[in-house]
Amino acid sequence: LFSFHEEAGAGLPYYHPNGAMLRHLVTDFATREHLKRGYVLLRTPHLIKSDIWYTSGHAQQGYPMYYTEIEGQSYGIKPMNCPGHILIYKTRKHSYRELPLRYFELGTVHRHEKTGVLHGLTRVRQFTQDDAHILCTPDQLNAEILAIADFVKYAMGIFGFEYEVELSTRPSNSIGTDKDWEMATAALEQSLKDNRMAYDINEGDGAFYGPKIDFKLKDALKRKWQCATIQCDFALPERFDLHFVGADGERHRPVMLHRVILGSIERFIGVLIEHYAGAFPVWLSPVQAVLVTVTDNQIPYGEEVYRKLLDAGLRVERDFKNEKLGHKIRTAQLQKVPYMLVIGDKEVASGTVSPRQRDGKNLGAMKADAFIELVRGKCSRYE
């Protein structure tokens, strides 16, 4: 699925074909689900002048950033996406009638993690977040937080994860006023209570600009992983002088919610691989079926079936090598491909394929169209 190459740099994953497809399936799911919920897509640069990171407070906080210089000007390689989204918000005036604005970006970020803490896909130096920032009025906070919590519940259910919830409060290195922190913390806590969600208090572990709700998912081995989070922020709208025009015609300060659902896509995929032990459900499998021929005689018919399955949108591979059938099936099973489609002389004569599941169960001969409908039925809940 992926590899690391020390000669090219530690903590930088390289996705192989199946890993890249798995990543595409996860991010495509995330994008479609965000669009269904009224988010709008953004795309922001990787390089931002260092002055912006001082305005946001990340530079003063000693955030693990990479810096570079271009024509005598210092730039920071972004460790997060929020300043870019803020700059887009500031390009024009906004009315209270537009709010909430839900900005979404599959934003790739870089963080200067120490070599000793790097660990597979779960701790890397370059990763992508399903990152969103919601600009809203204080009165809209509760409804937006509830909607995010519902989104997390839906997504974790699709992927088969249980999770626990923590409310992380003000850290010692925080920015912003006492009043803002009290309002932000109260808004998060009230939303948890309104949603009847059980939660623990994690004292002093909030972001430096606001408290947060953390969703810690549990994998098949009951290990906990930080993925989804909701952060309530009054500070950055103040530091960047954000405003909207209210019903009274006056300027007002919006509240900013920072949130991810899957979190780091790299970490989420790492957890997902272990959670399913590589045996992904059909909708999520990089390869859904492998065509295997008994002899070379079936290759022309196998090519016809292969093209038909590709045209139908299935992710399928061919194994037409001059090897024994048992070896081909065993290879596909070790790769944990959901279906192996056996093609022998009988299948050629009848215009069928004989699917076998990765657990060894033989489904019997069927037309290619019937197999296509079988796979679509397995995927219909998630498409």
Side-chain angles (χ1 to χ4, degrees), residues 324-354:
K324 291 182 178 179
L325 178 63
H327 175 76
K328 295 180 181 181
I329 290 175
R330 178 61 177 159
T331 299
Q333 285 177 321
L334 288 174
Q335 292 295 317
K336 302 189 178 179
V337 177
Y339 298 103
M340 289 123 266
L341 305 183
V342 177
I343 298 177
D345 288 338
K346 289 182 179 179
E347 285 76 22
V348 173
S350 60
T352 61
V353 293
S354 292

Side-chain angles (χ1 to χ4, degrees), residues 24-84:
H24 166 73
L25 293 168
V26 170
T27 55
D28 182 62
F29 166 82
T31 300
R32 285 187 284 110
E33 292 300 329
H34 279 83
L35 294 177
K36 287 179 186 177
R37 290 165 172 79
Y39 288 80
V40 293
L41 293 174
L42 301 183
R43 190 72 180 165
T44 58
H46 292 267
L47 289 172
I48 303 179
K49 284 185 177 181
S50 297
D51 292 349
I52 295 294
W53 300 110
Y54 280 93
T55 302
S56 69
H58 290 92
Q60 298 92 312
Q61 294 289 331
Y63 219 76
M65 291 178 60
Y66 295 100
Y67 290 93
T68 189
E69 188 174 291
I70 302 174
E71 298 178 348
Q73 174 67 58
S74 176
Y75 285 75
I77 302 174
K78 67 175 180 179
M80 52 182 50
N81 303 294
C82 38

Side-chain angles (χ1 to χ4, degrees), residues 18-319:
N18 284 353
M21 177 55 72
L22 175 62
R23 191 179 189 280
H24 166 73
L25 293 168
V26 170
T27 55
D28 182 62
F29 166 82
T31 300
R32 285 187 284 110
E33 292 300 329
H34 279 83
L35 294 177
K36 287 179 186 177
R37 290 165 172 79
Y39 288 80
V40 293
L41 293 174
L42 301 183
R43 190 72 180 165
T44 58
H46 292 267
L47 289 172
I48 303 179
K49 284 185 177 181
S50 297
D51 292 349
I52 295 294
W53 300 110
Y54 280 93
T55 302
S56 69
H58 290 92
Q60 298 92 312
Q61 294 289 331
Y63 219 76
M65 291 178 60
Y66 295 100
Y67 290 93
T68 189
E69 188 174 291
I70 302 174
E71 298 178 348
Q73 174 67 58
S74 176
Y75 285 75
I77 302 174
K78 67 175 180 179
M80 52 182 50
N81 303 294
C82 38
H85 294 190
I86 288 171
L87 292 175
I88 289 174
Y89 180 87
K90 291 188 69 174
T91 58
R92 64 179 180 84
K93 293 182 179 180
H94 297 276
S95 163
Y96 73 99
R97 296 181 185 276
E98 297 176 66
L99 303 184
L101 273 174
R102 305 183 186 104
Y103 290 149
F104 168 65
E105 178 177 9
L106 281 168
T108 299
V109 297
H110 299 77
R111 295 186 185 172
H112 193 171
E113 303 285 7
K114 295 181 179 178
T115 302
V117 302
L118 299 176
H119 183 71
L121 285 179
T122 59
R123 195 69 175 267
V124 292
R125 286 177 174 154
Q126 175 184 289
F127 57 95
T128 300
Q129 297 174 304
D130 62 330
D131 205 2
H133 295 90
I134 300 172
L135 282 302
C136 64
T137 69
D139 291 343
Q140 294 169 333
L141 266 179
N142 189 266
E144 290 302 306
I145 295 168
L146 287 176
I148 297 167
D150 185 65
F151 193 174
V152 173
K153 182 179 179 180
Y154 172 79
M156 294 305 106
I158 290 294
F159 289 100
F161 288 117
E162 298 176 355
Y163 58 88
E164 294 179 352
V165 182
E166 290 181 350
L167 175 61
S168 299
T169 59
R170 188 175 189 174
S172 58
N173 63 338
S174 64
I175 62 174
T177 66
D178 291 344
K179 180 181 178 181
D180 287 346
W181 274 89
E182 289 167 5
M183 289 174 60
T185 305
L188 292 179
E189 192 159 22
Q190 188 60 50
S191 296
L192 288 170
K193 290 176 179 177
D194 289 349
N195 212 24
R196 298 181 181 178
M197 296 176 68
Y199 64 95
D200 295 320
I201 300 291
N202 189 3
E203 292 287 354
D205 199 40
F208 71 88
Y209 46 76
K212 59 179 181 169
I213 298 172
D214 290 326
F215 299 84
K216 297 193 173 179
L217 62 83
K218 293 188 236 179
D219 65 16
L221 299 179
K222 302 302 179 185
R223 294 172 299 185
K224 296 179 185 178
W225 301 91
Q226 170 64 55
C227 287
T229 187
I230 308 171
Q231 302 168 358
C232 188
D233 178 10
F234 285 81
L236 290 188
E238 182 73 30
R239 293 174 78 97
F240 282 93
D241 191 27
L242 304 186
H243 61 270
F244 65 91
V245 178
D248 57 2
E250 300 296 322
R251 299 196 338 167
H252 299 271
R253 192 78 71 199
V255 185
M256 189 172 191
L257 289 173
H258 310 242
R259 48 104 299 192
V260 293
I261 302 300
L262 306 182
S264 159
I265 300 299
E266 277 66 23
R267 176 181 294 173
F268 188 79
I269 288 174
V271 176
L272 203 61
I273 292 168
E274 294 195 358
H275 184 67
Y276 286 113
F280 302 111
V282 177
W283 78 276
L284 199 54
S285 293
V287 179
Q288 295 170 318
V290 174
L291 283 165
V292 293
T293 49
V294 177
T295 70
D296 290 351
N297 294 336
Q298 296 93 41
I299 291 177
Y301 174 68
E303 291 287 0
E304 291 178 21
V305 175
Y306 174 67
R307 176 48 56 189
K308 187 179 185 69
L309 298 182
L310 285 181
D311 289 345
L314 273 62
R315 299 185 293 278
V316 60
E317 291 184 350
R318 297 162 293 183
D319 188 349

Side-chain angles (χ1 to χ4, degrees), residues 347-368:
E347 285 76 22
V348 173
S350 60
T352 61
V353 293
S354 292
R356 296 189 188 189
Q357 296 180 166
R358 59 186 160 207
D359 62 6
K361 182 179 179 181
N362 194 330
L363 301 183
M366 63 179 68
K367 296 288 187 179

